[in-house]
Amino acid sequence: RVHPSADGTRLVVAGAVFQAVVDLDGKTLFTTTFTTPVEIDVPRPDWTCLPVGGDQAYHSIVSLETGEQIADLSGLEVTGASGDGCTVIGRRGDLTEVVTADGTVPLGRVRAARLGPDGRTVVRTTTAGVTELLRIGDDLVVADPVDLSAVAPANPIVAFLD
């Protein structure tokens, strides 16, 4: 399968056991293989980064411009990506974290968490059932959570619109 990305300047080529990034001149910028078949997530056309892998076999985020690895995702079960693909949210064991090129933001144990398209906002439901809006600063520090429990049902469905 071939998927245009980076506003049409890159092609993400994927098969069951490989993934590659190719520019429009045919130059391979990045390639990797997987030891077992993986269901690759389809990249969005406006992504500038690519979370490499699929299912539970993600291993990195690469820049679609250069093909360089900008973040290590080893051991992370990715559950969502930002609007540009450069930030992901996922679980490592029982703990949830946000991963970017700048580092990792631990969110701890949660019942559920969704990453906003900007890669800097998260709505999480704690294990106690409290729904909160989190803002991640440029320094990767999480600001004081905003409690949404008064306006959110006990099991909210969260959708970010970009």
Side-chain angles (χ1 to χ4, degrees), residues 75 77 90-97 107-111 127:
E77 181 185 339
R91 290 184 301 274
R92 190 179 309 276
D94 291 342
L95 304 176
T96 297
E97 59 189 57
L107 300 179
R109 280 188 191 170
V110 301
R111 187 179 295 168
T127 56

Side-chain angles (χ1 to χ4, degrees), residues 38-64:
V38 174
E39 184 62 36
I40 304 294
D41 290 335
V42 175
R44 292 177 44 168
D46 54 346
W47 275 4
T48 57
C49 299
L50 178 68
V52 175
D55 297 329
Q56 295 178 12
Y58 285 89
H59 70 67
S60 61
I61 300 173
V62 297
S63 163
L64 288 170

Side-chain angles (χ1 to χ4, degrees), residues 63-83:
S63 163
L64 288 170
E65 177 69 26
T66 64
E68 305 247 347
Q69 178 178 317
I70 61 171
D72 182 7
L73 301 179
S74 298
L76 186 72
E77 181 185 339
V78 174
T79 58
S82 61

Side-chain angles (χ1 to χ4, degrees), residues 77-137:
E77 181 185 339
V78 174
T79 58
S82 61
D84 62 4
C86 296
T87 304
V88 299
I89 190 169
R91 290 184 301 274
R92 190 179 309 276
D94 291 342
L95 304 176
T96 297
E97 59 189 57
V98 174
V99 179
T100 76
D102 300 322
T104 299
V105 180
L107 300 179
R109 280 188 191 170
V110 301
R111 187 179 295 168
R114 296 293 173 255
L115 183 65
D118 63 355
R120 296 295 182 172
T121 51
V122 174
V123 172
R124 76 173 173 192
T125 302
T126 67
T127 56
V130 177
T131 301
E132 302 171 321
L133 176 67
L134 305 176
R135 176 80 180 133
I136 301 169

Side-chain angles (χ1 to χ4, degrees), residues 136-161:
I136 301 169
D138 291 339
D139 56 359
L140 300 183
V141 173
V142 177
D144 290 336
V146 176
D147 188 346
L148 301 176
S149 299
V151 296
N155 293 304
I157 296 173
V158 176
F160 286 99
L161 305 175

